[in-house]
Amino acid sequence: MLYKFKNYSPKVAENTFIAPGSKIIGNVELSEHSSVWYNSVVRADLARIKIGKFSNVQENSTIHVEQNRGVEIGDYVTIGHNAVIHACKIADKSLIGMNTTILSGAKIGEGSIVGAGAVVPENAVIPPGSLVLGVPAKIVRSITKEKIIELKQHAIHYAELAAEQENSEITE
C-alpha cells in the first residue's frame, strides 16, 4: 500500500513490484524494476528514501530515516529478509544479508556484502568490494570482481521473480 505523508506521496516507476502487505510511506522513490516484498515497511516521514533500479527489499524488512538524513539504496542492491536499514547509504551491486542492521550515517561501498545478522555501527564507512561480518560488523576480506558480477545477477533474478509475481493469483 502507498501512503501519503504530509505533502509527499511515494513515486513508483513502471515495472516496479510492491507485494501485498508492504507499506510505502511518504517521500519514497522506487526506481524501475525495483521490488518491495511481502510485509516490508519503507517509511520516509522525516527525509527521503530512494531505492535504485533492479534493487529488491525482501520480506519483513524495515527502511527508515531520521531528521534530515535519508536512505539511498543504489542500483542492483539486494536487501535480505528482516533487514533494518536506517538513515544510511548503500552503493550499487551490494548485498545486505538477512537480519542485518545498518545504523544511521553508515556508508556501504559498491559491490560489498554485509553478512547475515551483522550490525553496521553508526557512521561506519565500508570500502567498496568488502565482505563485512559480525556484531559489530568488521571487514573480513575483499570481494572478487566475479562475485560482484554475481551480486548484480542476483538482483536481476529478483526483478524477474517480481515480474512473475505481478501475474500471480490468490489461491485458496
Side-chain angles (χ1 to χ4, degrees), residues 15 24 38 43 46 49 57 62 69 79 104 111 123 130 146 148 151 153:
N15 301 316
I24 312 297
Y38 303 92
R43 181 165 58 105
L46 303 171
I49 295 172
V57 178
T62 301
R69 188 182 278 174
I79 307 289
S104 300
N123 302 313
S130 296
E146 294 78 18
I148 294 171
L151 295 176
Q153 291 304 316

Side-chain angles (χ1 to χ4, degrees), residues 81-114:
H81 315 286
N82 300 305
V84 175
I85 308 299
H86 196 268
C88 62
K89 294 181 181 181
I90 302 170
D92 299 346
K93 297 176 271 192
S94 292
L95 183 141
I96 309 304
M98 297 180 281
N99 293 307
T100 293
T101 300
I102 301 179
L103 297 173
S104 300
K107 294 179 182 176
I108 309 299
E110 183 172 341
S112 291
I113 298 173
V114 180

